[in-house]
Amino acid sequence: VRCLRTSFRRALSTCSTRAMGKTQDVVTREYTINLAKAVHGVTFKKRAPRAVSAVKKFAQKVMKTSDVRVDVKLNKHIWSKGIRNVPRRIRVSISRKRNDDEDAAEDLYSYVTVADESQGFSGLGTKVVDDV
């Protein structure tokens, strides 16, 4: 059993080092975030702020950047039905971009905007968007 554990750890460490090189590139992806999970059981007056922080936390986890910036349109969309009635799901576009500021702690940041989806959320997965 111990031998399997050590080989598994080695495999994990090599996979994580390979993945670290991938996080350095600039990319844009579209995701569907289920905000109903994030605000379930939360006090009414804290639901919209909690939804915004859930979007930030999701972008931080997916893009592996600690600096996450939320677009004004996305913030307005989350708050569109008031502080209590947050949209159940939201389609967002997350872009990992280079930081132009020389004094910044990180060289990359994530920028989250609302994606235009007039149809339902059924059948939509993660999409990589080509920047032109």
Side-chain angles (χ1 to χ4, degrees), residues 32-71:
T32 303
I33 302 175
N34 189 353
L35 293 178
K37 282 185 188 178
V39 298
H40 177 72
V42 176
T43 308
F44 278 152
K45 294 296 180 181
K46 296 180 182 177
R47 285 171 85 96
R50 184 73 62 92
V52 173
S53 64
V55 168
K56 282 186 173 184
K57 187 176 177 184
F58 179 81
Q60 195 172 8
K61 182 181 83 170
V62 170
M63 289 293 179
K64 297 179 176 62
T65 57
S66 61
D67 186 10
V68 177
R69 301 170 191 178
V70 176
D71 188 36

Side-chain angles (χ1 to χ4, degrees), residues 99-111:
N99 209 344
D100 294 335
D101 188 19
E102 290 117 19
D103 301 333
E106 285 192 37
D107 55 341
L108 295 171
Y109 69 94
S110 297
Y111 188 69

Side-chain angles (χ1 to χ4, degrees), residues 13-101:
S13 66
T14 56
C15 288
S16 63
T17 54
R18 270 188 244 136
M20 287 302 287
K22 286 280 209 183
T23 61
Q24 297 303 318
D25 57 351
V26 177
V27 69
T28 302
R29 294 190 203 111
E30 283 189 4
Y31 295 95
T32 303
I33 302 175
N34 189 353
L35 293 178
K37 282 185 188 178
V39 298
H40 177 72
V42 176
T43 308
F44 278 152
K45 294 296 180 181
K46 296 180 182 177
R47 285 171 85 96
R50 184 73 62 92
V52 173
S53 64
V55 168
K56 282 186 173 184
K57 187 176 177 184
F58 179 81
Q60 195 172 8
K61 182 181 83 170
V62 170
M63 289 293 179
K64 297 179 176 62
T65 57
S66 61
D67 186 10
V68 177
R69 301 170 191 178
V70 176
D71 188 36
V72 176
K73 288 182 182 177
L74 174 63
N75 195 35
K76 290 217 184 252
H77 184 74
I78 292 173
W79 283 81
S80 63
K81 292 164 51 178
I83 195 167
R84 291 168 47 157
N85 302 315
V86 176
R88 291 188 64 81
R89 284 192 180 90
I90 192 165
R91 188 80 177 161
V92 295
S93 175
I94 308 176
S95 304
R96 189 186 310 134
K97 298 183 176 182
R98 294 238 173 259
N99 209 344
D100 294 335
D101 188 19

